Structures are given as structure tokens and as C-alpha cells.
Amino acid sequence: MSTLVCFHAHPDDEVFTTGGVMRLAADAGHRVVLVTATDGAHGEFPDGILTDGETLAERRRSELAESADVLGVSRVVMLHYLDSGMAGTPENGNPDAFCNADVEDAAGKLAAVLNEENADVLTIYDPNGGYGHPDHIAVHVVGLRAAEIAGTKHVYETTTNRDHMRALVEANPNWSEENSPPDMESFGLPESEITTIIDVGSVMDAKRRAMQAHATQIGDFGPFLDMPLDMLQTAFGLEWFRRVGGGPGLTETELPL
């Protein structure tokens, strides 16, 4: 049995780029560990969804636990940094926000988990964090350093196939601008840089149920939850990665677990 550790910025991030891989790994008998850097306290959420006295951070922790259960996660670890908010927002300036965390300190916390779990594979984000979110960029930097400290050999950057997404948007003219990537030229990575493509179509039901678990984040998932299965497969049936340190070569169809 191998151990897969997926490092993400906020609760709900785990679903988009690694939800299928986590479920597939768990189904194959591997141990899956999910680490989130922040509590997602600065995310947007629908009015009236929280109960009296409940904070968004509390709700998102419970949503994360439900999603993790659906995806076969054996252990959830939260590093308890503050959510940095979207790029350009006032929250970016908070010295306690994850985007301002001391890299060595944060990497040491993640490395401790990697060592405890004897991790075989670590997933992080690409250098732009997928789409430029400060916390996602910090996950990339901190994750790389943690892997160095812990000696984790197999590190993969989760990403989105920019060319695939561009074609998908162009083929769906009814999609609103708010549901399209903010800047296609910096969104994800071009197909030529992707080393690993995982077909997760067989676990799409679990991936959809994990989306549904994050009820406060319906703004992120809403456009996709009611999609017919074939459309959902087109949008989310593949998960893309770039192997850190990997050069040109044959495209991998599985992680080294």
C-alpha cells in the first residue's frame, strides 16, 4: 500500500483537480491524506445558509469532512493558516494570512505530515496556483520546500489543461463570463507542459457528491451540479498534472502509487 498526500489551499479545492485521483487511489487500497492550508473563512457564501452563531470556517470544516469521506480520504489535516482572500483584496495584507506565512515554518508543518505518513506521492499546484490565487501560489512554494525537507520523491503539480478549457468554453457559448476562467492565458498550463493525465470518469459520481458536500460554495460548483453526466465527464472526467523534475517523455496515465 502506498500513501498519497494532496495539499490544497481551502476546503473544496480538493474536488476540482484531485477528487477523482483520491477516490481511485482509495479504491485501489492506497492511503489518502488531505491537507488544507486554510479554513476558507473569506470565501463567498449564500445568504441564510449558516445557522445562528455558526461561522463560515466552522461550516467549511464540516463540509470538508463530508467531502473527504466521499473521496475515500483516511486523514484530514488543517494547518490553520488564515485565508488570504482573492488576489488584490485587503485580506492579502494580513500578516497571518497563508500567503504571508514564513515558508520554512509552513513547509516544516507539511513535512511533518509527509514524514508521519511516509508519503510516496505529494500533489501541490502549478506555480501560478492554477489561476493566480495567493493561497494557491503559496501551496506551490510551501509544498515544494516540504517535499525537499521530507525527502518525498514524487511530487506532482495539479493543474488544468488550458487548451482543453479554452476549447470547452468556445464550444459552450451560453456559459457566462463569471463561469469562465478569469484570464485564459494564465489559467492552468498548456497541454504541451502536462506530463500526466488521469481518467477519473469511473468515479464521477463520487466527484459530483463531493461537490455537493460543499454547500456554501455553490457559487463555484453550481453551474456543474446539474450537468448531464456526459457533459460533466467532458468538464471533469480527466485530471491533469505536471511531474516536478519530469522532462519530455511519454504521458503518464497514473501516479506512482
Side-chain angles (χ1 to χ4, degrees):
M1 180 181 74
S2 299
T3 299
L4 168 66
V5 176
C6 295
F7 184 33
H8 286 280
H10 318 95
D12 89 334
D13 288 331
E14 77 282 354
V15 182
F16 276 120
T17 56
T18 62
V21 162
M22 288 194 288
R23 185 67 261 179
L24 288 174
D27 288 346
H30 302 298
R31 181 171 173 82
V32 179
V33 177
L34 172 60
V35 182
T36 62
T38 81
D39 56 14
H42 291 304
E44 296 180 354
F45 60 97
D47 291 339
I49 197 170
L50 301 180
T51 60
D52 290 344
E54 183 183 36
T55 67
L56 179 60
E58 290 170 338
R59 173 63 71 86
R60 295 193 74 176
R61 277 198 298 271
S62 64
E63 291 175 347
L64 180 66
E66 182 179 349
S67 171
D69 184 61
V70 169
L71 297 176
V73 174
S74 298
R75 179 188 179 191
V76 176
V77 179
M78 300 188 78
L79 300 186
H80 298 295
Y81 287 97
L82 293 185
D83 186 348
S84 304
M86 296 294 287
T89 61
E91 290 80 12
N92 298 171
N94 190 323
D96 294 323
F98 182 55
C99 68
N100 299 317
D102 180 84
V103 172
E104 288 298 308
D105 179 70
K109 293 177 181 179
L110 177 58
V113 177
L114 296 175
N115 283 326
E116 288 168 14
E117 295 290 346
N118 193 25
D120 297 281
V121 178
L122 170 67
T123 71
I124 58 175
Y125 299 134
D126 64 52
N128 192 42
Y131 63 101
H133 192 296
D135 284 331
H136 288 233
I137 294 171
V139 162
H140 172 80
V141 176
V142 169
L144 283 181
R145 179 61 183 136
E148 290 180 276
I149 295 170
T152 304
K153 295 181 179 180
H154 302 293
V155 182
Y156 286 76
E157 298 169 353
T158 69
T159 191
T160 300
N161 182 329
R162 184 184 304 165
D163 300 308
H164 174 86
M165 184 57 69
R166 182 182 286 112
L168 198 61
V169 171
E170 291 173 353
N172 290 273
N174 293 327
W175 281 14
S176 66
E177 289 186 7
E178 67 182 41
N179 294 328
S180 299
D183 180 3
M184 192 67 75
E185 293 309 310
S186 62
F187 187 77
L189 293 172
E191 190 168 87
S192 61
E193 295 185 23
I194 292 172
T195 66
T196 310
I197 305 171
I198 312 295
D199 185 340
V200 300
S202 63
V203 292
M204 189 54 62
D205 178 64
K207 196 164 179 176
R208 191 200 294 264
R209 286 188 288 120
M211 291 181 189
Q212 293 169 332
H214 292 285
T216 62
Q217 303 307 296
I218 198 67
D220 290 340
F221 297 114
F224 312 112
L225 292 180
D226 295 327
M227 276 184 176
L229 184 58
D230 61 337
M231 290 185 65
L232 197 66
Q233 294 273 19
T234 299
F236 296 106
L238 298 175
E239 291 178 357
W240 295 281
F241 301 83
R242 180 168 65 177
R243 184 176 65 253
V244 173
L250 294 175
T251 300
E252 301 171 332
T253 57
E254 59 183 22
L255 300 182
L257 292 169

